């Protein structure tokens, strides 16, 4: 019973993060260049995370592993999508990203490592570990 409640809380937390990403994505109309590219990548990762959660519920662990692999790849690419000077509107990226880029890079790495843990747990068919890694991934998105 506790496991079911924990899984539902994880899913609700991730949905809340995804909802904020979706609302931000619609606010970015008119973007171009690297800003548009990173917004599209974030939108794609949001969709992959949403699918990953559905596949976890359905215990389709091969799909979970595949999607987590994509998220891990994106995590490695995130810092390169925030070059200095890419602050033009309509970006909603916070100035703190460039002020403390080392911290931002560490958060992207935390995202990548959490996605790798999802992939590893999926290969072991470990739903509990997948749920914890999803929670960690969602937490890294909030940073």
């Amino acid at each position: 019973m506790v496991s079911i409640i924990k899984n539902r809380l994880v899913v609700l937390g991730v949905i809340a993060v995804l909802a904020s990403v979706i609302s931000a994505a619609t606010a970015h109309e008119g973007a171009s260049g690297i800003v548009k590219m990173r917004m599209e990548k974030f939108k794609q990762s949001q969709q992959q995370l949403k699918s990953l959660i559905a596949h976890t519920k359905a215990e389709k662990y091969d799909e979970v592993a595949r999607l987590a692999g994509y998220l891990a790849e994106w995590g490695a690419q995130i810092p390169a999508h925030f070059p200095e000077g890419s602050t033009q509107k309509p970006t909603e990226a916070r100035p703190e990203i460039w002020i403390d880029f080392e911290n931002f890079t560490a958060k992207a790495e935390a995202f990548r490592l959490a996605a790798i843990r999802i992939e590893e747990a999926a290969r072991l068919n470990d739903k509990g570990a997948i749920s914890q890694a999803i929670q960690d991934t969602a937490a890294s998105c909030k940073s």
Side-chain angles (χ1 to χ4, degrees):
M1 182 66 155
V2 173
S3 166
I4 292 171
I5 293 170
K6 184 177 176 182
N7 286 341
R8 287 184 179 166
L9 288 174
V10 168
V11 170
L12 289 174
V14 172
I15 289 171
V17 169
L18 295 176
S20 68
V21 171
I22 290 170
S23 66
T26 59
H28 290 122
E29 292 177 16
S32 62
I34 192 71
V35 172
K36 181 176 182 175
M37 195 181 320
R38 73 177 175 229
M39 290 184 328
E40 288 171 353
K41 293 290 283 184
F42 275 111
K43 185 175 181 179
Q44 181 182 20
S45 70
Q46 171 260 327
Q47 291 167 343
Q48 289 170 339
L49 190 54
K50 197 173 184 181
S51 294
L52 187 147
I53 293 167
H55 289 305
T56 299
K57 282 180 165 182
E59 299 182 358
K60 295 181 178 179
Y61 299 122
D62 288 341
E63 275 301 298
V64 170
R66 184 182 68 78
L67 291 168
Y70 289 137
L71 291 173
E73 288 175 21
W74 167 233
Q77 297 170 13
I78 289 172
H81 283 76
F82 288 84
E84 199 168 320
S86 63
T87 58
Q88 65 271 26
K89 295 291 179 194
T91 189
E92 291 182 359
R94 297 178 304 207
E96 293 83 19
I97 290 171
W98 294 275
I99 292 169
D100 190 357
F101 198 72
E102 189 174 313
N103 181 47
F104 177 72
T105 300
K107 290 175 180 179
E109 179 65 3
F111 175 88
R112 185 185 77 80
L113 293 174
I116 288 171
R117 286 194 304 278
I118 295 170
E119 185 176 11
E120 291 169 348
R123 299 215 184 281
L124 297 172
N125 297 338
D126 187 341
K127 194 172 191 174
I130 293 169
S131 295
Q132 181 59 55
I134 288 172
Q135 217 172 6
D136 294 344
T137 303
S140 73
C141 291
K142 293 178 186 177
S143 326

